[in-house]
Amino acid sequence: MRSFSHFCPTNVIFGEGQIKNVVKYLPRGCKKALLISSKTAAMKSGAHDSIKASLASENIQFLYQNTISPNPKITEVDQLVNYCKANDVDAILA
């Protein structure tokens, strides 16, 4: 097996009411953010509308995909990568 190194920092923000602060955690200059969720979780929880409103307040375009399964297949991930590239996504929220 060949050796390799991988660095992928992930910022996990958790806690009651933190969804209202989502904009302050996005990269500077973010113009387009993608929310990824399972079929109905974001809608049922209210996260979809909260995030959409938060992004709109900062003129950040909101994109939404609910096609990912709880344990995503590589084909689903590949589809989302292509979607992000095609739509110039600056940040992903999941």
Side-chain angles (χ1 to χ4, degrees):
M1 175 182 240
R2 290 191 294 170
S3 297
F4 68 93
S5 177
H6 178 72
F7 177 73
C8 184
T10 301
N11 194 8
V12 177
I13 310 301
F14 182 82
E16 188 173 340
Q18 288 300 310
I19 201 163
K20 295 175 185 169
N21 299 319
V22 70
V23 171
K24 74 180 186 179
Y25 297 109
L26 296 178
R28 275 187 204 183
C30 180
K31 293 182 173 134
K32 202 178 290 186
L34 170 65
L35 171 62
I36 299 172
S37 96
S38 60
K39 300 285 183 223
T40 60
M43 293 294 200
K44 286 182 179 179
S45 69
H48 177 278
D49 292 338
S50 293
I51 292 171
K52 186 175 182 179
S54 181
L55 295 175
S57 73
E58 297 292 325
N59 296 317
I60 298 171
Q61 187 176 348
F62 174 81
L63 302 172
Y64 176 62
Q65 288 286 315
N66 67 345
T67 57
I68 200 82
S69 58
N71 295 306
K73 297 176 181 128
I74 193 69
T75 55
E76 293 173 301
V77 174
D78 287 342
Q79 288 171 348
L80 282 171
V81 167
N82 291 332
Y83 179 85
C84 289
K85 287 178 181 179
N87 289 282
D88 296 320
V89 171
D90 299 310
I92 298 172
L93 307 164

